[in-house]
Amino acid sequence: MLSLLFCLSAVIAQAQHPRNLPLRDKSPEFLRSAEARRIGEQVLLYQRDTGGWPKNIDMARALTDEERAQITRDKARRDDSTIDNGATTLQMVFLARLYEATGDKRFRDGFRRAVDYLLSGQYDNGGWPQFWPETHGYQWHITYNDDAMVNTMKLLRDIGQQKDPFGKGLTEKQMRQRAMTAFEKGVECILATQIRIDGRLTVWCQQHDRNTFEPAHARAYELPSFCTQESASIVRLLMDLPSPDDRVKQAVHAAMAWFDRYKLTGLRIERTGEPGSPDRDTRLVPDAKGKPLWGRFYDLKYCEPYVCDRDGLPRRHLQDIGPERRNGYAWYGDRPADLYPLYDAWADKFDPANKVSISLKTKGANETGLIEMFREPRKDMADFNVIVSPGESIQQAIEQAPEQPDSPFKIFIRKGIYEQKVIVDRPNIVLVGEHRDSTVLVLAETAETRAVTEYHGKPVGNGVVVLQEGADDCVVSTMTIYNNYGTTVENTTKHQMAVFGRATRTIIVNCNIWADGNDALSLWAPEGNGMYYHADLFLRCPGVDILCPRGWCYATRCRFYGDGRAIIWHDGRGNEKKKLVITNSQFDAKRPTPLGRYHHDAQFFLLNCKMSEMILDQNISYAYTDKVLDPCPWGQRAYYYGCERAGGNSGWLANNLDKSKQKPEFHKVTAKWTFDGKWDAEQRLRDLWYVIAY
């Protein structure tokens, strides 16, 4: 029964919602009821022809005739049967109990088809993928994530041993033998995938390459890592083996030594606000009395904990990622602590001579100095093509790049003040400052006062940094770019771009973008066909349209500060799919200020954004009431999810993604979605993280 209870604990991700309680109900009265049979019949209806089930579906809810017809049509699907989030195993346990209570052979037969499904998915090396028979992307990896494989193995072993509720009559002898063989192969896979560093066994990743056994990438924020939650479940499974051999003993000893070596002490997870509410927050705070914790992920280079947003870039501080991932994922936990007393008893019984000394009362790696808990990214100057120091020309550094670089041409700009206009006129240029607040590019300029109007025979726009047409795939990071014309020359808010661009696939991250006039960050590729990505920016200006892209733009974790005039603007003419997406960002102003406006067809998506009371209680709307620049045939398109305005709002901030033509689920509003899959800006950032790192 203990083994079965452990199996069921792994399906909590799917079953924790009250709607799933009937599938977990073990009471004989319920299992013999008409309601239980009704639910059982629906579970059979949801079962795919593969023998497995899809995930995250309330299979107890009463269905309409139309829903039944659709589910029947979906039975032939081969791409959504899975063991993820407890799917398939949850339904199997329920069917087993129903058969035990009713003797109805339909439930037995459905269960047996599911056993065949589980057995069919096992690789020759003993591992299981997340989905099968059809898999996509990372789904084909050997999957320990959320205990998918451990859960499956426990279930198969309980079947093989005919533990309750898998009693006699539910399965045949040959099926039970196959189940035990599969379990034993699974153990072999576990031993083969345990990560070795310099010959020393450690723990496991959430997923491993099915061919090489190396730690593998899954979702964007799940990087190849040492993973404590899944590793703890694996160790518990290994300690449950009745006759562990030397390899199993070595694996357990090594993993427990790793857990003890890399535990974290003097810390506590603090959660404030109601789950799902806009004021929900999660923080890692000092606490001398805090019980040991472990990071969910430890990087493979330093063996130090990190967190990660949906951009796939590792961070050291929880506050460095957006609230959606910060509050929606378990970045720290204490699951390995439960293993300590179990390990003491296990080691004393099976291998006292090699028992490792561990204790939950000793200081963790963060307090002993073994790890640098909040390590700052360090750049290697050898990775840059050119290094610019104060007094030197950034423009001359750009001129050293080939006209058509085959690979990123990387320029490092040291701390200092650079009173220069910077013109990027070729693709694949990467500009990285030493520090966002003390690497400062500053210039006072308007369109009428430009000192440089032409460069290499082509006209040059207004701005401190100007990306010429064709300067595609430019990356700008870690600096302040400031057009200060409005405070140093003339008190006016006319166009004073800090950054002006006519290129596409532009990335600007970890910067202060300031102007003393209108249109601080203006990326206007010809015909509005540009794609732009921004993250971790502080955008400030007293004028209108601080961020005003033409085309497709995604911005995340940005801070906007206005002063009485509309902060955001978008031009989406010519293509109904063009959009400006802003996530996990903050809006504030010096005085009451509109959130945004538009002159041309525009489409806005704002998710998990917070607005101060200085942001007016009014929706983004057309700029004029007395004239028409653009008839905007698609109408007002401003969509929100999880946004909050201090002091409340009159209803315009209500969740309304379902009113958009694409009707996306909130978690699918990503950079790749923004660009319709035509550009993976975050992959480019990951590829360049060794030089951009901040």
Side-chain angles (χ1 to χ4, degrees):
M1 179 59 72
L2 178 62
S3 179
L4 176 60
L5 290 175
F6 175 73
C7 169
L8 291 178
S9 71
V11 307
I12 296 302
Q14 178 178 352
Q16 62 184 352
H17 195 284
R19 70 186 186 185
N20 290 303
L21 289 177
L23 272 69
R24 302 167 61 203
D25 194 331
K26 296 183 288 185
S27 64
E29 296 79 12
F30 169 73
L31 291 169
R32 289 193 294 266
S33 70
E35 175 66 2
R37 294 180 71 94
R38 181 193 69 79
I39 294 172
E41 289 169 358
Q42 286 195 175
V43 168
L44 292 177
L45 180 64
Y46 274 106
Q47 188 175 25
R48 303 311 196 208
D49 292 341
T50 62
W53 281 268
K55 66 177 181 177
N56 300 338
I57 296 175
D58 178 7
M59 297 185 184
R61 181 180 62 84
L63 300 171
T64 66
D65 291 341
E66 291 79 9
E67 288 172 329
R68 286 181 173 277
Q70 183 59 54
I71 296 168
T72 300
R73 290 191 292 269
D74 286 342
K75 287 182 75 69
R77 288 187 61 173
R78 297 172 56 81
D79 62 347
D80 67 348
S81 298
T82 182
I83 54 174
D84 190 32
N85 286 4
T88 298
T89 51
L90 174 65
Q91 288 78 15
M92 290 176 69
V93 173
F94 182 64
L95 290 181
R97 290 195 181 117
L98 272 180
Y99 176 67
E100 186 178 51
T102 67
D104 190 325
K105 293 182 179 179
R106 293 179 303 155
F107 302 136
R108 180 201 65 185
D109 294 344
F111 177 88
R112 289 180 176 180
R113 288 195 298 273
V115 174
D116 285 334
Y117 170 72
L118 293 182
L119 296 174
S120 73
Q122 189 175 32
Y123 294 137
D124 290 341
N125 59 31
W128 273 271
Q130 188 181 60
F131 287 76
W132 75 89
E134 293 183 10
T135 60
H136 304 281
Y138 64 83
Q139 295 173 357
W140 62 268
H141 292 315
I142 296 168
T143 302
Y144 299 125
N145 196 5
D146 291 332
D147 301 335
M149 182 166 149
V150 168
N151 186 31
T152 299
M153 289 175 61
K154 283 281 190 177
L155 184 66
L156 289 173
R157 188 176 75 171
D158 290 347
I159 290 170
Q161 296 177 349
Q162 293 187 294
K163 292 186 177 181
D164 181 64
F166 312 119
K168 295 180 179 179
L170 184 64
T171 56
E172 298 173 339
K173 181 178 180 180
Q174 183 183 25
M175 179 172 283
R176 294 193 293 273
Q177 291 174 338
R178 291 171 62 205
M180 287 304 300
T181 298
F183 174 83
E184 292 163 0
K185 287 177 62 178
V187 172
E188 291 296 320
C189 180
I190 285 172
L191 298 176
T193 51
Q194 191 170 13
I195 302 170
R196 286 182 180 267
I197 301 295
D198 297 328
R200 177 185 291 182
L201 289 170
T202 60
V203 288
W204 291 262
C205 186
Q206 284 187 335
Q207 50 282 318
H208 289 254
D209 187 284
R210 65 179 176 184
N211 297 317
T212 67
F213 294 156
E214 292 297 314
H217 201 293
R219 289 174 289 191
Y221 50 88
E222 295 170 331
L223 312 180
S225 314
F226 301 106
C227 300
T228 58
Q229 177 170 293
E230 286 73 17
S231 294
S233 295
I234 290 171
V235 171
R236 183 186 286 263
L237 180 148
L238 293 178
M239 288 197 296
D240 202 29
L241 296 176
S243 302
D245 61 19
D246 287 343
R247 294 175 306 153
V248 171
K249 294 174 185 177
Q250 292 171 8
V252 172
H253 290 315
M256 292 304 301
W258 189 95
F259 284 134
D260 197 60
R261 182 176 175 84
Y262 291 103
K263 65 180 182 288
L264 309 174
T265 53
L267 299 168
R268 170 175 54 84
I269 286 293
E270 180 180 84
R271 295 180 174 87
T272 57
E274 292 298 319
S277 68
D279 60 346
R280 179 69 164 178
D281 199 18
T282 305
R283 296 188 299 162
L284 184 67
V285 299
D287 185 348
K289 297 181 179 180
K291 295 180 180 180
L293 293 173
W294 285 262
R296 179 149 186 175
F297 301 130
Y298 289 69
D299 68 79
L300 295 174
K301 182 176 183 179
Y302 299 109
C303 202
E304 295 169 345
Y306 69 89
V307 296
C308 199
D309 217 327
R310 291 187 182 273
D311 56 11
L313 301 175
R315 313 284 180 170
R316 297 297 181 176
H317 296 272
L318 271 172
Q319 61 265 33
D320 290 339
I321 63 176
E324 187 269 328
R325 280 298 81 194
R326 183 167 68 245
N327 300 316
Y329 201 71
W331 294 107
Y332 296 90
D334 59 1
R335 184 183 287 188
D338 294 338
L339 300 177
Y340 277 61
L342 299 178
Y343 173 74
D344 280 341
W346 178 89
D348 288 343
K349 178 179 180 180
F350 291 110
D351 196 15
N354 293 302
K355 182 179 180 180
V356 297
S357 177
I358 60 175
S359 174
L360 292 173
K361 296 181 179 180
T362 57
K363 290 186 179 298
N366 58 314
E367 293 195 297
T368 63
L370 176 63
I371 64 173
E372 189 176 334
M373 184 72 177
F374 302 112
R375 180 184 299 273
E376 292 292 330
R378 298 179 177 91
K379 302 176 179 68
D380 186 344
M381 294 300 99
D383 291 326
F384 291 89
N385 300 94
V386 182
I387 298 174
V388 181
S389 297
E392 298 177 343
S393 169
I394 300 172
Q395 199 64 50
Q396 289 182 3
I398 294 172
E399 287 291 327
Q400 295 182 46
E403 291 187 5
Q404 295 292 327
D406 293 329
S407 59
F409 189 85
K410 302 174 290 295
I411 300 171
F412 183 75
I413 306 172
R414 294 194 183 277
K415 294 178 183 178
I417 297 176
Y418 298 80
E419 296 183 12
Q420 307 175 15
K421 186 180 182 74
V422 176
I423 304 166
V424 181
D425 66 339
R426 58 205 69 192
N428 226 351
I429 299 297
V430 179
L431 299 172
V432 180
E434 186 174 1
H435 190 277
R436 70 179 284 165
D437 296 324
S438 51
T439 300
V440 181
L441 282 60
V442 61
L443 190 71
E445 179 175 276
T446 66
E448 295 78 15
T449 63
R450 286 173 294 165
V452 179
T453 59
E454 186 178 284
Y455 191 72
H456 289 176
K458 296 181 179 180
V460 174
N462 160 31
V464 182
V465 174
V466 175
L467 308 180
Q468 297 284 78
E469 187 173 348
D472 302 333
D473 300 300
C474 180
V475 180
V476 180
S477 176
T478 320
M479 64 185 72
T480 295
I481 304 174
Y482 182 23
N483 189 333
N484 64 352
Y485 184 91
T487 55
T488 61
V489 180
E490 178 186 3
N491 184 14
T492 177
T493 56
K494 64 177 64 173
H495 281 167
Q496 296 168 41
M497 283 78 162
V499 180
F500 175 77
R502 294 185 60 78
T504 188
R505 297 188 301 277
T506 301
I507 294 175
I508 304 177
V509 295
N510 192 35
C511 288
N512 301 315
I513 307 294
W514 300 341
D516 289 339
N518 301 336
D519 300 65
L521 180 50
S522 304
L523 299 183
W524 298 347
E527 307 301 324
N529 288 324
M531 294 183 287
Y532 323 113
Y533 179 94
H534 309 309
D536 304 297
L537 302 184
F538 176 26
L539 299 114
R540 183 194 75 190
C541 80
V544 74
D545 306 338
I546 301 177
L547 176 64
C548 51
R550 300 179 188 265
W552 291 263
C553 181
Y554 179 86
T556 188
R557 299 188 305 272
C558 293
R559 183 159 61 101
F560 297 84
Y561 191 77
D563 186 9
R565 304 179 69 185
I567 293 174
I568 58 176
W569 179 95
H570 178 239
D571 180 356
R573 286 175 293 174
N575 188 323
E576 194 175 2
K577 291 185 177 181
K578 291 178 181 177
K579 58 183 75 75
L580 167 58
V581 176
I582 302 177
T583 71
N584 302 319
S585 296
Q586 299 176 358
F587 293 83
D588 194 8
K590 185 176 181 180
R591 55 196 172 105
T593 299
L595 174 61
R597 65 172 191 162
Y598 55 93
H599 297 94
H600 310 288
D601 270 313
Q603 184 170 208
F604 301 87
F605 288 85
L606 275 72
L607 288 83
N608 298 309
C609 292
K610 292 190 175 183
M611 303 166 198
S612 79
E613 61 185 2
M614 286 298 176
I615 303 303
L616 290 173
D617 183 15
Q618 63 185 43
N619 204 352
I620 300 170
S621 60
Y622 191 73
Y624 301 122
T625 58
D626 60 340
K627 58 183 175 180
V628 175
L629 296 184
D630 187 330
C632 299
W634 296 310
Q636 185 183 39
R637 296 185 295 164
Y639 308 109
Y640 304 95
Y641 180 88
C643 294
E644 178 186 37
R645 177 185 175 273
N649 70 90
S650 55
W652 59 278
L653 268 183
N655 296 343
N656 67 339
L657 294 181
D658 61 334
K659 303 299 183 184
S660 72
K661 187 172 183 179
Q662 293 175 282
K663 304 182 188 303
E665 298 177 69
F666 78 93
H667 58 87
K668 292 184 178 179
V669 179
T670 62
K672 289 183 72 173
W673 177 85
T674 300
F675 304 121
D676 299 317
K678 297 176 182 177
W679 179 40
D680 191 346
E682 290 171 340
Q683 182 58 56
R684 179 161 172 81
L685 281 174
R686 290 191 287 271
D687 292 341
L688 289 168
W689 190 240
Y690 66 104
V691 295
I692 296 173
Y694 61 89

